[in-house]
């Protein structure tokens, strides 16, 4: 009877071991499905008549729920790195745009300064080689206007001067031996009207006023068969390329001016 009881106890223990092993295998499959670390079955030694079915090893980092947390952390880090990369790219684009705008502004400023410098040079050249002189208009009026006189002396070493002097001028004119067609001042008498007005020896005469008498006949006189009335007009006479006798005659014609106005002289002077 005692032997039978011992055999029954062994059979019961064996059944419990088989059942426990089956449960352990089911637990391994469930763990594998849920991505948890499986439990490792251990041969169940009998201790004091009790079977120790299995023991669980410690969870490994990177497995199970730790793996999910690590994956979430990696995603957050990747998103932060992507955001940082986009911010850096945006900042780089802003710098490039700012550099382009600054470059455009510098180019526009340089062009503006160049344009202003060119305009200033043109103004300087025009002021250097021009003078305000009386111009006779078609209606008989006289208006002061700035007239350009291209330089006859090369190298930009001269300038145009205008002055007024009453007759007699007290100057001696002659044709230039170095520049044919150029009338220059060869001599200026001391304390003469020419010297007082600023005429200097070596000046080139570019223009002067001249007077001319004309006959003007009103319409009513034409209808009545009249011959008209004389009238003197004064105008600017260009001395460039003119014979010396023509220039001398133009200056002398200013005596015909009924108003007795001084002679206008336009001179080119070497600085």
């Amino acid at each position: 009877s005692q032997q039978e009881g011992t055999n029954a106890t062994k059979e019961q223990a064996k059944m419990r071991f088989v059942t426990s092993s089956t449960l352990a295998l089911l637990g391994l499959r469930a763990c594998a499905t849920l991505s948890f670390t499986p439990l490792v079955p251990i041969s169940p030694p009998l201790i004091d008549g009790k079977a120790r079915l299995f023991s669980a090893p410690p969870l490994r980092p990177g497995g199970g729920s730790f793996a999910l947390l690590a994956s979430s952390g990696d995603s957050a880090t990747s998103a932060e790195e992507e955001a940082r990369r986009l911010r850096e790219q945006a900042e780089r684009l802003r710098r490039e745009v700012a550099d382009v705008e600054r470059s455009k502004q510098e180019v526009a400023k340089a062009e503006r300064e160049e344009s202003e410098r060119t305009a200033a040079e043109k103004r300087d050249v025009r002021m250097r080689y021009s003078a305000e002189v009386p111009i006779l208009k078609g209606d008989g009026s006289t208006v002061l206007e700035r007239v350009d006189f291209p330089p006859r002396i090369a190298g930009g070493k001269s300038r145009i001067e205008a002055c007024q002097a009453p007759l007699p001028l007290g100057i001696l004119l002659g044709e230039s031996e170095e520049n044919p067609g150029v009338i220059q001042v060869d001599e200026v008498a001391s304390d003469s009207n020419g010297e007082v007005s600023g005429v200097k020896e070596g000046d080139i005469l570019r223009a002067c006023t001249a007077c001319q008498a004309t006959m003007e006949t009103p319409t009513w006189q034409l209808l009545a068969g009249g011959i008209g009335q004389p009238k003197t007009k004064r105008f600017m006479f260009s001395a460039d390329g003119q014979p010396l006798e023509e220039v001398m005659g133009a200056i002398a014609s200013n005596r015909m001016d009924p108003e007795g106005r001084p002679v206008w002289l336009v001179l080119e002077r070497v600085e």
Side-chain angles (χ1 to χ4, degrees), residues 138-163:
D139 58 0
S141 62
T142 301
V143 180
L144 280 177
E145 292 185 357
R146 181 165 291 277
V147 178
D148 297 327
F149 294 90
R152 298 299 298 271
I153 300 175
K157 299 179 180 179
S158 62
R159 67 180 305 110
I160 297 296
E161 300 284 350
C163 62

Short mmCIF file of all heavy atoms in Angstrom, two decimals, residues 138-163:
data_model
loop_
_atom_site.label_atom_id
_atom_site.label_comp_id
_atom_site.label_asym_id
_atom_site.label_seq_id
_atom_site.Cartn_x
_atom_site.Cartn_y
_atom_site.Cartn_z
N GLY A 138 14.03 136.41 -82.58
CA GLY A 138 13.33 136.75 -83.81
C GLY A 138 12.41 137.95 -83.69
O GLY A 138 12.14 138.65 -84.69
N ASP A 139 11.90 138.21 -82.49
CA ASP A 139 11.00 139.34 -82.31
C ASP A 139 11.73 140.65 -82.03
O ASP A 139 11.11 141.66 -81.71
CB ASP A 139 10.02 139.06 -81.17
CG ASP A 139 10.73 138.77 -79.84
OD1 ASP A 139 11.99 138.78 -79.82
OD2 ASP A 139 10.04 138.52 -78.84
N GLY A 140 13.08 140.58 -82.11
CA GLY A 140 13.87 141.78 -81.89
C GLY A 140 14.34 141.96 -80.46
O GLY A 140 15.16 142.85 -80.19
N SER A 141 13.91 141.11 -79.55
CA SER A 141 14.35 141.23 -78.15
C SER A 141 15.70 140.55 -77.97
O SER A 141 16.12 139.70 -78.78
CB SER A 141 13.32 140.61 -77.22
OG SER A 141 13.18 139.21 -77.48
N THR A 142 16.37 140.91 -76.92
CA THR A 142 17.68 140.32 -76.59
C THR A 142 17.58 139.63 -75.24
O THR A 142 17.10 140.23 -74.26
CB THR A 142 18.77 141.40 -76.54
OG1 THR A 142 18.85 142.04 -77.83
CG2 THR A 142 20.13 140.78 -76.22
N VAL A 143 18.04 138.40 -75.18
CA VAL A 143 17.96 137.59 -73.96
C VAL A 143 19.33 137.01 -73.67
O VAL A 143 20.03 136.53 -74.58
CB VAL A 143 16.93 136.45 -74.11
CG1 VAL A 143 16.86 135.62 -72.83
CG2 VAL A 143 15.56 137.00 -74.47
N LEU A 144 19.71 137.05 -72.38
CA LEU A 144 20.97 136.43 -71.97
C LEU A 144 20.77 134.91 -71.92
O LEU A 144 19.91 134.41 -71.20
CB LEU A 144 21.41 136.95 -70.60
CG LEU A 144 22.09 138.31 -70.56
CD1 LEU A 144 22.41 138.71 -69.11
CD2 LEU A 144 23.37 138.31 -71.38
N GLU A 145 21.62 134.19 -72.65
CA GLU A 145 21.57 132.73 -72.67
C GLU A 145 22.98 132.17 -72.58
O GLU A 145 23.94 132.80 -73.02
CB GLU A 145 20.89 132.23 -73.96
CG GLU A 145 19.41 132.53 -74.05
CD GLU A 145 18.79 131.91 -75.28
OE1 GLU A 145 19.55 131.29 -76.08
OE2 GLU A 145 17.58 132.04 -75.46
N ARG A 146 23.05 130.97 -72.01
CA ARG A 146 24.35 130.30 -71.93
C ARG A 146 24.61 129.59 -73.25
O ARG A 146 23.83 128.76 -73.69
CB ARG A 146 24.40 129.32 -70.76
CG ARG A 146 25.74 128.61 -70.60
CD ARG A 146 25.85 127.96 -69.25
NE ARG A 146 25.95 128.95 -68.19
CZ ARG A 146 27.07 129.57 -67.82
NH1 ARG A 146 28.23 129.27 -68.43
NH2 ARG A 146 27.06 130.45 -66.87
N VAL A 147 25.76 129.92 -73.84
CA VAL A 147 26.14 129.37 -75.15
C VAL A 147 27.44 128.57 -74.98
O VAL A 147 28.36 128.99 -74.28
CB VAL A 147 26.34 130.49 -76.18
CG1 VAL A 147 26.78 129.91 -77.52
CG2 VAL A 147 25.07 131.31 -76.33
N ASP A 148 27.48 127.39 -75.61
CA ASP A 148 28.66 126.54 -75.54
C ASP A 148 29.68 126.95 -76.60
O ASP A 148 29.32 127.23 -77.75
CB ASP A 148 28.28 125.08 -75.75
CG ASP A 148 27.35 124.57 -74.65
OD1 ASP A 148 27.48 125.02 -73.51
OD2 ASP A 148 26.48 123.71 -74.95
N PHE A 149 30.95 126.92 -76.20
CA PHE A 149 32.07 127.20 -77.11
C PHE A 149 33.06 126.06 -76.98
O PHE A 149 33.85 126.01 -76.02
CB PHE A 149 32.74 128.54 -76.76
CG PHE A 149 31.87 129.73 -76.98
CD1 PHE A 149 31.05 130.22 -75.96
CD2 PHE A 149 31.86 130.39 -78.20
CE1 PHE A 149 30.24 131.33 -76.16
CE2 PHE A 149 31.06 131.50 -78.41
CZ PHE A 149 30.24 131.97 -77.39
N PRO A 150 33.03 125.09 -77.90
CA PRO A 150 34.00 123.99 -77.84
C PRO A 150 35.43 124.53 -77.80
O PRO A 150 35.75 125.49 -78.50
CB PRO A 150 33.73 123.21 -79.13
CG PRO A 150 32.32 123.55 -79.49
CD PRO A 150 32.13 124.97 -79.06
N PRO A 151 36.29 123.92 -77.00
CA PRO A 151 37.65 124.47 -76.85
C PRO A 151 38.46 124.38 -78.14
O PRO A 151 38.39 123.41 -78.87
CB PRO A 151 38.25 123.59 -75.74
CG PRO A 151 37.47 122.31 -75.81
CD PRO A 151 36.10 122.69 -76.20
N ARG A 152 39.22 125.43 -78.38
CA ARG A 152 40.17 125.43 -79.49
C ARG A 152 41.56 124.98 -79.03
O ARG A 152 42.40 124.62 -79.84
CB ARG A 152 40.26 126.83 -80.10
CG ARG A 152 38.98 127.37 -80.69
CD ARG A 152 38.48 126.50 -81.82
NE ARG A 152 39.40 126.45 -82.93
CZ ARG A 152 39.41 127.31 -83.96
NH1 ARG A 152 38.52 128.29 -83.99
NH2 ARG A 152 40.28 127.18 -84.93
N ILE A 153 41.77 125.02 -77.74
CA ILE A 153 43.05 124.57 -77.16
C ILE A 153 42.84 123.17 -76.59
O ILE A 153 41.99 122.97 -75.71
CB ILE A 153 43.53 125.54 -76.07
CG1 ILE A 153 43.73 126.94 -76.66
CG2 ILE A 153 44.83 125.04 -75.43
CD1 ILE A 153 44.08 127.99 -75.63
N ALA A 154 43.60 122.21 -77.08
CA ALA A 154 43.43 120.82 -76.64
C ALA A 154 44.03 120.61 -75.25
O ALA A 154 44.86 121.38 -74.78
CB ALA A 154 44.11 119.88 -77.65
N GLY A 155 43.59 119.52 -74.62
CA GLY A 155 44.17 119.15 -73.33
C GLY A 155 43.38 119.60 -72.13
O GLY A 155 43.75 119.30 -71.00
N GLY A 156 42.28 120.29 -72.35
CA GLY A 156 41.47 120.75 -71.22
C GLY A 156 42.17 121.73 -70.31
O GLY A 156 41.89 121.78 -69.11
N LYS A 157 43.08 122.52 -70.87
CA LYS A 157 43.84 123.46 -70.05
C LYS A 157 43.34 124.90 -70.20
O LYS A 157 44.03 125.83 -69.78
CB LYS A 157 45.32 123.40 -70.46
CG LYS A 157 45.95 122.04 -70.24
CD LYS A 157 47.40 122.04 -70.68
CE LYS A 157 48.04 120.67 -70.48
NZ LYS A 157 49.45 120.65 -70.93
N SER A 158 42.17 125.06 -70.79
CA SER A 158 41.65 126.40 -71.00
C SER A 158 40.23 126.50 -70.47
O SER A 158 39.62 125.49 -70.10
CB SER A 158 41.68 126.75 -72.49
OG SER A 158 40.85 125.86 -73.21
N ARG A 159 39.71 127.72 -70.45
CA ARG A 159 38.33 127.95 -70.07
C ARG A 159 37.81 129.18 -70.81
O ARG A 159 38.60 129.98 -71.32
CB ARG A 159 38.17 128.10 -68.56
CG ARG A 159 38.81 129.32 -67.98
CD ARG A 159 38.61 129.40 -66.47
NE ARG A 159 37.21 129.32 -66.10
CZ ARG A 159 36.66 128.28 -65.49
NH1 ARG A 159 37.39 127.22 -65.20
NH2 ARG A 159 35.38 128.28 -65.19
N ILE A 160 36.50 129.32 -70.85
CA ILE A 160 35.86 130.43 -71.54
C ILE A 160 35.54 131.53 -70.54
O ILE A 160 35.02 131.27 -69.45
CB ILE A 160 34.58 129.97 -72.25
CG1 ILE A 160 34.90 128.93 -73.33
CG2 ILE A 160 33.84 131.15 -72.86
CD1 ILE A 160 35.76 129.45 -74.46
N GLU A 161 35.87 132.77 -70.94
CA GLU A 161 35.56 133.95 -70.14
C GLU A 161 34.81 134.95 -71.01
O GLU A 161 35.11 135.08 -72.20
CB GLU A 161 36.84 134.60 -69.59
CG GLU A 161 37.68 133.70 -68.69
CD GLU A 161 37.09 133.56 -67.30
OE1 GLU A 161 36.13 134.31 -67.00
OE2 GLU A 161 37.56 132.71 -66.53
N ALA A 162 33.85 135.62 -70.42
CA ALA A 162 33.11 136.67 -71.12
C ALA A 162 33.27 137.98 -70.36
O ALA A 162 33.22 138.00 -69.12
CB ALA A 162 31.64 136.30 -71.24
N CYS A 163 33.47 139.04 -71.09
CA CYS A 163 33.63 140.35 -70.46
C CYS A 163 33.03 141.42 -71.36
O CYS A 163 32.75 141.17 -72.54
CB CYS A 163 35.10 140.65 -70.16
SG CYS A 163 36.15 140.72 -71.64
#
